Amino acid sequence: MNQNKNSLTEFEKSLIRQDMADHTIQGYLYDLHTFKVWVKDFYQTEIDLSQVTSSDIRAYRDYLIKIKRYKVASTNRSIQAIKRFYAWLSLSTNSKEEHAAKNIRFMRRNKQTKPTVLTNKEVNDLLRVAGKSPHGLAKRNYALVQLFLQSGIRVGEVVQLQIRDLLIQERSGHLKVVDGKGHKSRVIPLNAAVRRALNSYLNTRDNLKPEDHLIFSKRGSPQTIRGLQKIIQALVQRANITRIAASAHTLRHTFAMNYLKANPSALVALSTLLGHDSLDTTAIYTQSSMEDLSDSIERSDLNFMEEE
């Protein structure tokens, strides 16, 4: 018992030296304490954790999955804590053998289902309330919603946009994301709807300079990520959209789904527009939703066959 306590204490010190976040350290320790309790129950006696085998850890993983019914993320978090502990233990004892958790596999995640998006009616409702925003914010809010819906841009990218990142002409236009996710830049074309909305908004601002931020708060300062999220959340609430928990990211999903609907074979182009590193990330928009799967099963010919 004391040996286990000492090893966990030393493990905690090693995590602190690595400058890990407190909540991460506490999460590891909680998972290891739970594992230690299971080991004692499994062996019906207290044993040194260094004596645990790979088979024991696999049995524990099965226990989490089949008995505790842990979700994939929770199970993998526990396995990660165990892996990290035994890797540290092996290093601290200068062991020449592979540690017990080295070859323990994480649970595989099922492919993500299609993200939830706004319906056409919900989009119209959101644009309507945005265009009726009080306190002189109607044109800004309408342009902001159109920007999300028509470009699929991320919230964090919007707050960085400056006037010089925009090119708006009568029949064409684009914006440049200078520092997107992964510090990658990209250019996003702007359609007529968002060009009109942005022009209308920019016409309300005086003495624009190239380095000015595109979206300002009502106090005239550059918007923050949290500020933009709160604006969209407030508009969603005013539009009475309750079917899903809609957010600014929902508007990004809505753009992506509508783009693929109009351009079914343009997955690579969509990946470029969204700034994804991998097509695998973009492919979530091609997955069938649970509603789609349920509807297809209901439409099955076998559904209409009954026992005579």
Side-chain angles (χ1 to χ4, degrees):
M1 180 176 180
N2 288 335
Q3 183 61 37
N4 285 337
K5 184 176 181 180
N6 289 338
S7 61
L8 290 177
T9 299
E10 291 303 314
F11 176 63
E12 180 181 5
K13 291 178 181 178
S14 76
L15 297 179
I16 294 173
R17 286 194 296 271
Q18 294 172 53
D19 198 26
M20 279 195 173
D22 288 342
H23 71 273
T24 302
I25 295 175
Q26 294 309 311
Y28 279 150
L29 295 177
Y30 173 82
D31 288 330
L32 288 170
H33 173 74
T34 304
F35 175 61
K36 185 180 73 169
V37 170
W38 177 87
V39 168
K40 181 179 179 180
D41 184 63
F42 184 72
Y43 277 95
Q44 291 297 297
T45 186
E46 189 87 35
I47 71 163
D48 192 330
L49 288 178
S50 65
Q51 303 302 309
V52 167
T53 67
S54 296
S55 295
D56 296 337
I57 299 175
R58 290 191 185 93
Y60 180 64
R61 182 186 59 191
D62 290 343
Y63 164 78
L64 295 179
I65 298 168
K66 298 174 182 178
I67 305 300
K68 298 295 290 183
R69 298 299 180 99
Y70 272 23
K71 294 180 179 179
V72 173
S74 298
T75 301
N76 286 344
R77 186 198 66 203
S78 295
I79 297 303
Q80 174 64 18
I82 293 169
K83 277 178 168 290
R84 189 140 197 158
F85 171 74
Y86 280 101
W88 166 83
L89 189 63
S90 177
L91 188 64
S92 64
T93 57
N94 295 315
S95 174
K96 303 300 181 183
E97 299 180 359
E98 288 187 345
H99 63 78
K102 184 175 179 59
N103 295 316
I104 302 299
R105 294 182 179 179
F106 293 106
M107 283 186 69
R108 283 188 175 184
R109 295 176 181 270
N110 291 329
K111 288 184 177 180
Q112 290 179 282
T113 56
K114 187 161 52 179
T116 53
V117 301
L118 298 180
T119 64
N120 288 343
K121 180 183 182 304
E122 289 166 341
V123 167
N124 288 331
D125 289 343
L126 189 62
L127 288 169
R128 176 177 50 78
V129 299
K132 293 182 178 180
S133 299
H135 311 301
L137 299 174
K139 292 185 182 298
R140 185 206 67 178
N141 288 353
Y142 184 83
L144 181 62
V145 173
Q146 284 285 28
L147 182 60
F148 282 124
L149 286 170
Q150 307 295 348
S151 71
I153 193 169
R154 299 180 177 95
V155 177
E157 295 168 341
V158 172
V159 300
Q160 297 181 42
L161 283 178
Q162 297 178 358
I163 299 300
R164 58 187 166 189
D165 299 324
L166 289 180
L167 175 63
I168 301 179
Q169 299 173 329
E170 184 178 352
R171 296 184 179 276
S172 65
H174 66 255
L175 64 82
K176 184 175 182 181
V177 176
V178 178
D179 186 18
K181 192 173 182 179
H183 303 296
K184 292 185 177 181
S185 64
R186 70 186 188 282
V187 175
I188 305 175
L190 299 174
N191 64 18
V194 70
R195 293 200 307 271
R196 287 193 298 268
L198 286 171
N199 266 332
S200 181
Y201 163 56
L202 292 175
N203 286 337
T204 66
R205 292 174 55 183
D206 299 323
N207 303 318
L208 285 175
K209 298 185 289 293
E211 64 273 16
D212 284 345
H213 282 76
L214 176 62
I215 305 296
F216 268 39
S217 71
K218 60 184 178 182
R219 292 190 296 272
S221 58
Q223 273 290 356
T224 63
I225 291 177
R226 182 58 186 151
L228 288 185
Q229 290 171 332
K230 289 177 70 175
I231 290 171
I232 298 301
Q233 287 170 354
L235 292 174
V236 165
Q237 189 173 21
R238 284 170 49 202
N240 197 30
I241 298 173
T242 58
R243 181 182 59 88
I244 59 175
S247 64
H249 208 64
T250 306
L251 306 190
R252 176 172 161 87
H253 290 324
T254 302
F255 163 79
M257 290 300 298
N258 279 275
Y259 181 88
L260 269 189
K261 186 176 180 180
N263 308 276
S265 59
L267 192 64
V268 174
L270 177 60
S271 182
T272 300
L273 290 171
L274 294 176
H276 285 164
D277 289 330
S278 168
L279 276 179
D280 290 341
T281 306
T282 318
I284 63 171
Y285 298 106
T286 66
Q287 299 296 324
S288 295
S289 67
M290 185 57 67
E291 290 181 2
D292 294 336
L293 293 172
S294 297
D295 288 344
S296 64
I297 289 176
E298 286 293 336
R299 292 194 303 269
S300 169
D301 289 341
L302 295 177
N303 189 38
F304 301 99
M305 294 183 180
E306 298 182 2
E307 184 179 357
E308 295 183 355

